[in-house]
Amino acid sequence: MPVITNVALLLTILSFGVPSNAQGRSSSMVRVPEYDNMLDERYEITDHAGLSHRGDCASLCHRDVRCVSFSYNILTGRCLLHSVHFYNMKRGVSQQGWRYFKLFTDRCPLDYVYNRIGKFCFRHDLLQASWSEHARRCNDSGGSLLIIDTPEKQAEVVKQIGCCQDIQNINLYLGGYKAEGTWRWVDGREITPTFWYNSTVNKQTGHIAISSKFQYMWAVRTSNRRALCEVVNVSF
């Protein structure tokens, strides 16, 4: 995920709070000013008309567990809730009045995307690096390489990373490696279920990457790649 430049300043000037939960954990809707007057209607959850203020749109997003971002038109009061964080507006259209906001929670590092359904935060590390280097970078940011241990999590991750990729063929390291002939996650668990694009791939040696070339199924990679980090068990 692209890191927002001068995050602290943006949080002060362009964000506003939404209600904290019973544990006192807060969240913020952070405006992305470079997306002003742009609209991408993909990954829409619901569409609302005639809202008087962006706060009304934020409240609707806050109440819907699927929502992690929203678009609000300051001229018409139209509000669209989205199930992804858009990394860019390359597939959007130019329309006056639109403002785009992303949901952040104080339980996630600032450059992580929060997935409310799966209760995890994750980050797309754009650096081309080895699996070991990415493991270190994820740890340094407060997380670990991402683990996909359910079909539901696979679907949520694919939805987010597939929404607006900046390159056509991308491989992203996950937290899977081969130890003594057995594929394991970085937490030591044996990997199950699996989402290999080809049943023979798991005989190879290397590290697991999710690959857009194979419809975001898994491949084995050994050279420098991008990666996905995560923080798990995050309650909203």
Side-chain angles (χ1 to χ4, degrees):
M1 317 269 152
V3 177
I4 299 174
T5 304
N6 200 350
V7 172
L9 180 60
L10 280 175
L11 286 173
T12 301
I13 297 175
L14 299 176
S15 69
F16 57 97
V18 290
S20 59
N21 65 10
Q23 289 74 39
R25 294 163 186 154
S26 63
S27 58
S28 297
M29 305 305 304
V30 180
R31 180 177 153 208
V32 184
E34 58 265 38
Y35 298 170
D36 283 0
N37 302 312
M38 295 292 297
L39 174 66
D40 191 331
E41 296 189 78
R42 296 175 304 137
Y43 302 96
E44 173 194 319
I45 300 169
T46 53
D47 187 340
H48 305 268
L51 301 186
S52 59
H53 190 267
R54 66 183 185 183
D56 299 328
C57 193
S59 294
L60 290 170
C61 181
H62 184 261
R63 292 197 293 267
D64 192 322
V65 70
R66 300 168 297 171
C67 183
V68 294
S69 69
F70 70 85
S71 299
Y72 177 73
N73 194 297
I74 60 175
L75 302 178
T76 66
R78 186 181 172 198
C79 164
L80 273 69
L81 307 187
H82 304 287
S83 62
V84 300
H85 278 198
F86 290 114
Y87 307 157
N88 56 60
M89 280 288 170
K90 292 180 179 178
R91 296 183 64 178
V93 296
S94 177
Q95 287 188 19
Q96 289 297 310
W98 285 104
R99 303 292 184 264
Y100 178 71
F101 296 84
K102 295 183 178 183
L103 175 67
F104 288 90
T105 171
D106 59 6
R107 290 295 306 276
C108 297
L110 287 176
D111 57 343
Y112 278 62
V113 171
Y114 181 40
N115 184 284
R116 296 171 64 188
I117 293 176
K119 295 183 179 179
F120 66 97
C121 314
F122 70 106
R123 177 172 68 91
H124 178 177
D125 190 337
L126 301 176
L127 181 70
Q128 296 278 352
S130 68
W131 186 89
S132 297
E133 174 64 10
H134 277 302
R136 183 192 65 78
R137 287 169 58 85
C138 289
N139 290 337
D140 289 348
S141 70
S144 61
L145 281 166
L146 186 137
I147 291 172
I148 297 178
D149 51 6
T150 65
E152 293 77 16
K153 190 170 184 179
Q154 169 78 4
E156 288 297 314
V157 170
V158 168
K159 178 177 65 176
Q160 177 61 63
I161 65 176
C163 77
C164 33
Q165 284 300 341
D166 55 344
I167 59 177
Q168 204 167 39
N169 184 10
I170 191 169
N171 292 274
L172 299 159
Y173 276 131
L174 304 176
Y177 66 98
K178 205 166 193 177
E180 299 179 351
T182 300
W183 285 102
R184 296 192 179 279
W185 292 120
V186 288
D187 64 3
R189 286 181 294 154
E190 187 171 343
I191 294 177
T192 181
T194 60
F195 302 94
W196 300 111
Y197 81 89
N198 184 309
S199 60
T200 64
V201 177
N202 64 358
K203 298 179 181 180
Q204 300 175 13
T205 299
H207 297 94
I208 295 176
I210 194 167
S211 175
S212 62
K213 181 179 180 180
F214 304 114
Q215 291 76 51
Y216 299 101
M217 302 295 281
W218 297 357
V220 176
R221 297 291 182 256
T222 57
S223 58
N224 289 351
R225 306 287 177 173
R226 298 182 181 187
L228 295 171
C229 306
E230 72 173 343
V231 176
V232 296
N233 299 323
V234 179
S235 298
F236 187 66

